[in-house]
Amino acid sequence: MSVSRAAGRIGDPAARILIVDDEPHVCEIMSRWLDGEGYNCHTANSAEEAWGVIKRNDLALVILDIAMPGQSGIDLLAMVKAEAPEMAVIMVTAMDDRETAIRALELGAYGYVIKPFGRNEVIINVVNALERRRLMLESKGYERRLEEKVREQTQDIRRSREEIALRLMAAQEYRHDETGAHVRRMGLYAEVVGRVLGHPQEYTDILRLAAPMHDVGKIGIPDSVLMKPGKLTAEEFETMKTHTSIGARILGPTTIPLLNVARDIALCHHERWDGLGYPRGLSGEDIPEPARIVAPLDVYDALVHDRVYRPAVPEQEALDVLRRGCGTHLDPAVLEALLAALTELRAIRGRVKEKAHFRARRDA
Ligand SMILES: [Fe+2]
Ligand SMILES: [Fe+2]
């Protein structure tokens, strides 16, 4: 019985094997033994010739003589491991060259046989190397499938997050007539400004989804106030201000980062850098940064678009308003980022336009 059959045919019996030795009779004899076991053998008499065969064929294993004129087997081993790390390599070495053989193992060879070798020794090494390669490929495949699964689940989570955000946006559009275009632009602006401020994409994605929810609390404001066409009385304005804390109650607290950021924005987007805002009178960096990002964007977008009670103002005028608010109403660093991002903000305005019949009533 053949050795590999005795070994239960482990390894791949149809595997392609390349035998590299500068002595043609060594190639011949090994090839005969391995062909006899059902393997598919190629031979080469130099490292250069072997490299050509390796590049042209899908090989499972290379049996590589270490001492060859020209490029050595060790050189070729390094090239194989760099270009085709999944290829198994067995080194063939002379009796007095164990040190080189050990170096070969360190470089990634699966085993070595010492000249003069016997048939069984070669075949057992081949079977072992192919089996080790099979297990390595199997475990790599398992890792790949696992990574794929994690990737899919991450995408699912991202999709469901976006879905939640879109549903909440739909709810607020339904209730208070804030334009859908405004809230969408707010998300896109916040994403850009977050990026200019140096935040990673994972975070700017959250800003894009959270910023549109800044006024979600208007759901809880009575129609008589929210829809009032004229100026609000002091009392009505106090009621209007509660859209911040109502929004915060709708959105959290929670352990979901997106909703936490959305909650910070809803609660704090009317706070002012100088502490004169509402609802809590926070100042400076005590105001969560996402809310500091949304505040000037909300003013900018409201000013450059028509409202029922006033027409749009030219962008320069809107920017003057923002600059006047720098350090009092607005965070100077955020304002600087907004000004640096103006070209992109304009492009977003060009892409996401109001529908003529759909106008925001209140900017509070
Ligand atoms: Fe707004
Ligand atoms: Fe608001």
Side-chain angles (χ1 to χ4, degrees):
M1 186 191 274
S2 78
V3 178
S4 63
R5 233 165 281 146
R9 269 290 186 209
I10 50 176
D12 178 1
R16 282 168 181 270
I17 298 175
L18 170 64
I19 303 156
V20 190
D21 201 302
D22 58 313
E23 296 172 67
H25 76 274
V26 174
C27 289
E28 229 166 81
I29 190 162
M30 273 210 204
S31 179
R32 200 166 56 237
W33 290 341
L34 293 170
D35 281 344
E37 296 292 320
Y39 296 110
N40 189 345
C41 292
H42 300 258
T43 59
N45 296 127
S46 69
E48 292 76 7
E49 188 190 345
W51 190 237
V53 180
I54 289 167
K55 285 205 288 196
R56 282 195 305 276
N57 293 280
D58 182 21
L59 300 169
L61 169 68
V62 182
I63 301 174
L64 197 46
D65 186 23
I66 288 179
M68 290 186 291
Q71 258 183 331
S72 78
I74 292 285
D75 295 336
L76 186 57
L77 168 65
M79 284 161 73
V80 168
K81 284 293 150 189
E83 294 288 318
E86 286 168 1
M87 203 177 288
V89 181
I90 295 171
M91 306 304 284
V92 179
T93 176
M95 184 68 92
D96 56 358
D97 201 10
R98 275 178 192 272
E99 256 177 47
T100 315
I102 286 164
R103 197 167 115 65
L105 293 183
E106 285 167 0
L107 281 172
Y110 278 11
Y112 64 90
V113 287
I114 296 170
K115 286 180 181 176
F117 44 72
R119 178 177 171 280
N120 287 359
E121 191 186 351
V122 168
I123 292 168
I124 285 168
N125 263 282
V126 166
V127 168
N128 282 342
L130 289 175
E131 177 61 4
R132 190 169 146 191
R133 174 176 180 271
R134 187 185 68 78
L135 291 172
M136 189 261 295
L137 290 177
E138 215 173 76
S139 109
K140 277 202 172 161
Y142 176 72
E143 271 171 37
R144 254 197 304 275
R145 282 194 297 280
L146 211 62
E147 276 168 18
E148 184 58 28
K149 190 120 194 103
V150 170
R151 219 182 350 263
E152 272 171 25
Q153 281 175 349
T154 310
Q155 270 170 0
D156 272 359
I157 292 168
R158 191 167 298 146
R159 263 196 298 273
S160 49
R161 258 182 13 186
E162 299 207 1
E163 175 84 21
I164 293 166
L166 289 171
R167 298 278 159 198
L168 278 168
M169 275 192 250
Q172 63 178 339
E173 279 173 39
Y174 214 87
R175 172 65 182 82
H176 67 73
D177 203 19
E178 177 82 275
T179 72
H182 166 68
V183 295
R184 270 179 205 99
R185 283 193 301 265
M186 286 299 292
L188 297 168
Y189 295 156
E191 179 184 27
V192 170
V193 171
R195 198 173 60 233
V196 173
L197 285 167
H199 290 297
Q201 197 200 328
E202 200 184 333
Y203 188 73
T204 58
D205 279 348
I206 287 181
L207 286 176
R208 188 187 70 247
L209 295 167
M213 295 182 243
H214 61 286
D215 272 340
V216 73
K218 286 184 182 170
I219 290 172
I221 302 300
D223 282 359
S224 57
V225 175
L226 189 67
M227 308 294 185
K228 184 176 175 181
K231 201 171 165 18
L232 298 180
T233 64
E235 194 184 337
E236 285 165 341
F237 189 58
E238 285 308 311
T239 305
M240 193 62 191
K241 282 175 169 180
T242 62
H243 79 279
T244 51
S245 43
I246 294 170
R249 281 201 298 278
I250 290 172
L251 294 166
T254 139
T255 53
I256 301 168
L258 165 64
L259 291 181
N260 274 334
V261 172
R263 180 178 185 272
D264 283 347
I265 291 173
L267 184 60
C268 302
H269 70 286
H270 290 287
E271 298 288 3
R272 292 172 46 131
W273 186 250
D274 58 11
L276 297 177
Y278 66 88
R280 290 183 290 172
L282 298 180
S283 64
E285 291 185 355
D286 286 345
I287 306 166
E289 195 197 24
R292 282 184 271 133
I293 291 174
V294 161
L297 292 171
D298 208 16
V299 175
Y300 168 78
D301 196 68
L303 287 175
V304 296
H305 291 94
D306 289 335
R307 287 292 180 274
V308 277
Y309 46 88
R310 56 140 185 81
V313 306
E315 189 185 59
Q316 273 318 312
E317 224 173 281
L319 296 178
D320 287 343
V321 171
L322 292 181
R323 286 196 188 99
R324 279 199 296 277
C326 181
T328 51
H329 191 150
L330 305 168
D331 175 350
V334 170
L335 191 57
E336 195 180 315
L338 183 154
L339 295 172
L342 262 186
T343 312
E344 284 179 86
L345 302 191
R346 284 182 200 132
I348 291 166
R349 282 166 54 195
R351 277 202 320 273
V352 188
K353 291 205 163 76
E354 316 274 342
K355 284 184 191 139
H357 66 279
F358 207 49
R359 294 277 185 258
R361 301 255 164 118
R362 290 257 154 244
D363 298 327

